[in-house]
Amino acid sequence: MEGPGDFYATVDVEEVVDGDTFRAYIDGEKIRVRIMGINSPESGGFRDEEDWGAEAKVYAKDRLEGRTVTLFTDPGDPMFDQYDRLLAHVVMENGMNYAVLAVAEGMAHTYILRHQELTIGDTLRKAERLAKGERRGMWKALQKGE
């Protein structure tokens, strides 16, 4: 089976680093995977913890760690970022795209660079509007009209 980008693989998630990054083995090599299209609050480590960072990490651990996921890159985008992390979409065993779910639940926000036309960009933007409108997760503290 092939994915829409240059890379497609099914992997077991070894360890969640935070709400948008995890480690997995691909062809015997441990790599870091940065989930495309989202940014979650920092959960500590190399950077200071941000509000909702711990919750976003637990959310990701509950849904990804120790589970099998399918990864694929986005057509036309680089496969790795400046930190040598694989940039990939993550599809869970139930067929859901993790990024869309995390954004819809308020555990991450949409993160699409100006030059990107992500395959799921419109879906992520709609999921974020929904999460904000219903004050889910990190959006609970929003005032009306924000």
Side-chain angles (χ1 to χ4, degrees):
M1 185 177 209
E2 294 187 18
D6 298 324
F7 176 82
Y8 181 91
T10 300
V11 302
D12 294 324
V13 176
E14 191 73 22
E15 174 190 13
V16 166
V17 176
D18 63 19
D20 56 33
T21 306
F22 62 86
R23 292 184 179 95
Y25 283 95
I26 297 179
D27 296 329
E29 180 183 353
K30 193 173 195 177
I31 63 151
R32 290 179 302 154
V33 177
R34 176 64 162 78
I35 301 167
M36 293 277 301
I38 66 171
N39 191 30
S40 67
E42 298 299 330
S43 61
F46 294 111
R47 297 188 178 166
D48 291 338
E49 184 174 329
E50 298 173 336
D51 289 344
W52 284 90
E55 292 89 343
K57 182 176 181 175
V58 168
Y59 182 87
K61 282 182 93 145
D62 289 347
R63 284 152 186 80
L64 300 174
E65 198 167 271
R67 298 179 189 245
T68 301
V69 297
T70 301
L71 307 176
F72 64 92
T73 57
D74 211 72
D77 273 336
M79 282 183 58
F80 294 92
D81 68 6
Q82 68 270 31
Y83 305 109
D84 204 32
R85 298 176 297 187
L86 175 66
L87 301 171
H89 294 283
V90 178
V91 178
M92 300 181 302
E93 293 166 312
N94 64 4
M96 288 287 301
N97 183 299
Y98 175 79
V100 174
L101 187 62
V103 169
E105 293 297 330
M107 295 296 149
H109 63 84
T110 301
Y111 183 70
I112 301 172
L113 301 175
R114 275 187 229 140
H115 73 277
Q116 289 178 312
E117 287 295 327
L118 290 188
T119 314
I120 60 167
D122 289 341
T123 303
L124 287 170
R125 289 181 194 95
K126 288 176 187 174
E128 186 168 306
R129 284 194 300 273
L130 172 73
K132 284 180 177 178
E134 294 186 4
R135 292 185 180 82
R136 295 179 181 174
M138 72 172 102
W139 308 113
K140 283 183 180 177
L142 278 182
Q143 301 297 317
K144 286 205 182 253
E146 284 188 274

